Amino acid sequence: MDRISTAQAATMPVEFKLNGKTVVGRSDETLIETAKHYGIDIPHLCYKEGMRPDGNCRACVVEIKGERVLAPSCCRYPKDGMEVTTDNPRSVASQKMVLELLLSDIPEKSYTLDSELDHWAKELKVGKPRFESRHQPKADLSHAAIAVNLDACIQCTRCLRACREEQVNDVIGYAHRGEHSKIVFDFDDPMGDSTCVACGECVQACPTGALMPAREVGRIVADKTVDSVCPYCGVGCLLTYNVKGNKILWVQGREGPANNNRLCVKGRYGFDYVQHKHRLTRPLIRKPGMKKHKDFVVDPDNWSQVFREASWEEALDFAAKGLRDIRDTYGKKALAGFGSAKGTNEEAYLFQ
Amino acid sequence: METLHWVREILEKGADWFASQGRNGRKGLRSFSVSGRVKKPGVHLAPAGITAKELIAEYCGGMLEGQKFYGYLPGGASGGILPASMADIPLDFDTLNQYGCFIGSAAIVIFSDRDRAATAARNLTKFFSEESCGQCTPCRVGTAKTLKLIEKKKWDQPLLKELSQAMMDASICGLGQAAPNPVLSVMKYFPNEIT
């Protein structure tokens, strides 16, 4: 028999039992993923598709026949002949208890409209938690773009993995022990004073709204969402704008080949220019007699002293004529230009 | 460590010598670390399978003057708690399992009529709560909530049992899995203390 590589072996089908039914999975696909293919949704919080599974929340525990304790389905892979049960009373009791324990420690009013903990608590019919709440930490609103409300934190460390492993910023850490365990920025600094670069990946990763866009915009229901491309550099990250009253509330990274759901500070938080009154929306042409000189400044609130509005046709003709005149008078070596990373590859090609 | 410690002597004196030691059908010797309300606490080398009652009487000089044997920890912080009425069980590997306890590192703590098992459970749960690393929910939150629940005079036993089961089933490591043992023991063997 020919030898097969590890990579080949990983794609070999693995037959095992899932809730009594024989199913086929892969040795490189976790139980939670295979279950999903077969229409079984196992509760999960610390697990997020595309992120390294950590298995700390224990909401996804399942019974594997022959094992003493329950196993986190987000971290375990099937083996031939394995018997996995996700929905028996023993597994469900632990799944529900984990949700109840976490619920008891977060505020009733959620910071997000889309809490994954609330979602699973509802799915599994977890009632009002029977435990006393923990001593709650104060909000950290020191950052201009991100609100930190650790009273809603469930210690799932998705933000930490987003910061450390996805973006490789390594600002977020997990400090202290036991019930005092806490998400920290650098050495437990206020987020606004930390070395955070505000990429917002942690906000996108947080399942409970403990990390949210500042000023509670995440709690406003958007009129619509607009799928778009980031207007900044040429990388072309895909994103979604959440819009209300024709104003952008907040931005979410969208799956695309260039960004894998991620965004940087500009794409995620740099959208105030869209509605800014100084934003140029139509071409301007210098008025006759307005001379150019090196100390030239123009008051953006009062540009009409120097410029007048023009149509695109007029402006393009005007600019083209100016460039053509220079070329014809002084030769083509007299022309130069600035390109930038803001241009796409195609634009850069045209520019040369 | 203890196993390694015995290797040389077993090699020198033979396996039969070691196996001829022991009591109540058990074989070998064991170092019992006895603390609590006995006259001579400390590490005592005694036959494996010795009972708590025998250990106190033969190795620890009996109970402290005027104090009555009330209960004991057969195996350290997570090995559970047993009442004096159950002090005739051989202390060895697997002999305590059916009672929801285990010998662990053979750290025996003896309680007298001046102690309460519920107080011991509070102390032990606080210990587990402080020792919890904070990684997984059942242990991190579970130990803290257990402590809150058992700080009350009257325990919410159905809730504690439910919580304990999840901690035993779903915690990542042995600390969280064994942390409910003292609490479960108190509910099982000392119910009059907490109702």
Side-chain angles (χ1 to χ4, degrees):
Chain A
M1 200 178 124
D2 289 337
R3 289 189 63 178
I4 55 166
S5 69
T6 319
Q8 283 172 316
T11 61
M12 301 280 277
V14 179
E15 212 175 81
F16 68 104
K17 273 200 167 143
L18 186 62
N19 294 349
K21 280 191 198 133
T22 302
V23 298
V24 180
R26 285 163 54 136
S27 61
D28 65 345
E29 188 179 74
T30 56
L31 293 175
I32 200 168
E33 290 171 301
T34 310
K36 202 178 170 195
H37 297 324
Y38 284 91
I40 299 167
D41 271 341
I42 303 171
H44 57 271
L45 293 164
C46 71
Y47 163 77
K48 188 173 189 249
E49 234 172 279
M51 214 172 234
R52 175 182 62 79
D54 197 53
N56 68 58
C57 79
R58 317 306 275 183
C60 75
V61 287
V62 296
E63 194 173 86
I64 297 174
K65 197 179 171 190
E67 297 193 1
R68 185 176 56 87
V69 292
L70 301 176
S73 56
C74 69
C75 295
R76 290 290 298 272
Y77 298 89
K79 285 206 172 85
D80 272 320
M82 202 182 231
E83 289 182 36
V84 181
T85 316
T86 70
D87 60 354
N88 62 342
R90 186 182 174 210
S91 304
V92 174
S94 273
Q95 294 165 4
K96 286 178 79 168
M97 182 53 78
V98 163
L99 297 174
E100 185 177 352
L101 285 171
L102 294 172
L103 271 179
S104 70
D105 279 345
I106 67 163
E108 268 184 60
K109 192 180 165 200
S110 185
Y111 294 102
T112 170
L113 299 170
D114 194 24
S115 162
E116 292 176 34
L117 179 54
D118 288 347
H119 164 78
W120 287 114
K122 212 172 140 193
E123 282 290 299
L124 270 74
K125 299 185 178 66
V126 178
K128 207 175 145 59
R130 294 164 288 177
F131 304 100
E132 244 178 77
S133 175
R134 67 184 166 193
H135 177 73
Q136 290 292 23
K138 280 200 191 95
D140 170 7
L141 305 177
S142 59
H143 196 282
I146 300 168
V148 186
N149 287 291
L150 291 184
D151 54 349
C153 177
I154 57 167
Q155 277 82 6
C156 69
T157 67
R158 266 162 55 166
C159 57
L160 184 149
R161 281 172 279 156
C163 188
R164 188 177 293 173
E165 295 168 25
E166 301 293 314
Q167 298 284 44
V168 204
N169 284 325
D170 214 352
V171 175
I172 297 182
Y174 194 49
H176 307 299
R177 296 173 58 87
E179 61 170 327
H180 304 293
S181 301
K182 185 187 172 200
I183 290 296
V184 293
F185 304 95
D186 292 337
F187 295 102
D188 204 2
D189 295 324
M191 192 192 213
D193 296 343
S194 75
T195 56
C196 168
V197 296
C199 71
E201 195 68 20
C202 55
V203 175
Q204 189 157 324
C206 181
T208 59
L211 293 160
M212 282 299 277
R215 295 170 290 283
E216 300 196 2
V217 289
R219 205 136 60 178
I220 302 169
V221 184
D223 297 337
K224 59 176 176 184
T225 57
V226 180
D227 286 348
S228 189
V229 182
C230 177
Y232 283 90
C233 77
V235 170
C237 299
L238 299 190
L239 44 72
T240 301
Y241 290 111
N242 292 269
V243 180
K244 186 183 172 75
N246 210 34
K247 282 194 174 162
I248 296 169
L249 291 171
W250 54 283
V251 182
Q252 181 90 343
R254 188 159 57 88
E255 177 56 26
N259 65 317
N260 230 332
N261 287 307
R262 296 167 202 156
L263 290 176
C264 78
V265 58
K266 290 180 282 181
R268 199 184 299 276
Y269 298 113
F271 50 81
D272 50 348
Y273 74 91
V274 175
Q275 300 278 348
H276 200 281
K277 62 180 173 152
H278 292 164
R279 181 181 170 193
L280 290 178
T281 54
R282 308 179 74 179
L284 302 180
I285 289 180
R286 188 183 300 268
K287 285 180 173 173
M290 288 295 162
K291 286 282 173 222
K292 292 181 186 174
H293 54 89
K294 72 177 173 57
D295 300 321
F296 173 77
V297 281
V298 63
D299 176 5
D301 280 326
N302 218 351
W303 52 264
S304 60
Q305 285 179 334
V306 184
F307 296 104
R308 66 171 173 85
E309 281 190 348
S311 69
W312 278 103
E313 287 75 19
E314 188 196 356
L316 285 170
D317 284 346
F318 186 85
K321 185 182 177 295
L323 290 168
R324 208 182 299 121
D325 287 349
I326 293 171
R327 186 194 64 191
D328 295 346
T329 316
Y330 303 103
K332 62 181 181 182
K333 297 259 176 187
L335 282 171
F338 284 114
S340 87
K342 260 186 96 119
T344 61
N345 277 345
E346 292 78 3
E347 287 163 341
Y349 182 80
L350 287 172
F351 187 73
Q352 58 168 350
Chain B
M1 187 59 87
E2 199 174 355
T3 308
L4 273 180
H5 163 80
W6 284 113
V7 169
R8 199 202 77 189
E9 241 168 313
I10 293 171
L11 281 174
E12 281 176 5
K13 298 183 183 172
D16 291 341
W17 163 79
F18 190 74
S20 69
Q21 318 272 346
R23 208 182 276 190
N24 302 314
R26 310 296 301 183
K27 289 176 182 172
L29 288 166
R30 192 85 208 261
S31 301
F32 292 91
S33 161
V34 187
S35 60
R37 311 285 194 178
V38 289
K39 280 197 183 119
K40 280 199 307 191
V43 178
H44 299 290
L45 186 63
I50 193 169
T51 68
K53 220 179 250 173
E54 292 165 345
L55 196 61
I56 296 168
E58 298 170 34
Y59 290 84
C60 304
M63 296 294 292
L64 285 175
E65 245 2 280
Q67 299 195 22
K68 227 180 114 203
F69 184 29
Y70 177 68
Y72 65 109
L73 261 63
S78 48
I81 310 174
L82 290 169
S85 61
M86 293 173 74
D88 294 318
I89 304 164
L91 299 174
D92 202 4
F93 301 111
D94 301 332
T95 55
L96 297 151
N97 292 8
Q98 55 177 307
Y99 308 104
C101 297
F102 55 77
I103 185 82
S105 53
I108 318 276
V109 183
I110 307 294
F111 300 136
S112 77
D113 50 354
R114 297 188 187 178
D115 305 307
R116 282 290 164 265
T119 313
R122 286 181 193 114
N123 178 290
L124 295 167
T125 304
K126 187 164 181 284
F127 165 76
F128 288 126
S129 176
E130 282 164 4
E131 290 305 312
S132 169
C133 80
Q135 190 188 358
C136 72
T137 312
C139 177
R140 181 188 70 243
V141 189
T143 50
K145 299 302 177 207
T146 305
L147 188 57
K148 282 265 178 219
L149 287 170
I150 65 171
E151 271 167 359
K152 294 186 177 122
K153 231 179 150 178
K154 192 170 177 268
W155 291 9
D156 184 343
Q157 296 197 43
L159 183 56
L160 278 167
K161 278 178 192 158
E162 233 182 282
L163 174 56
S164 299
Q165 193 58 50
M167 289 170 69
M168 294 190 288
D169 277 340
S171 293
I172 293 176
C173 83
L175 189 129
Q177 289 163 12
N181 285 350
V183 169
L184 292 171
S185 291
V186 170
M187 291 194 282
K188 202 165 168 189
Y189 302 119
F190 303 89
N192 54 328
E193 286 191 17
I194 48 159
T195 44

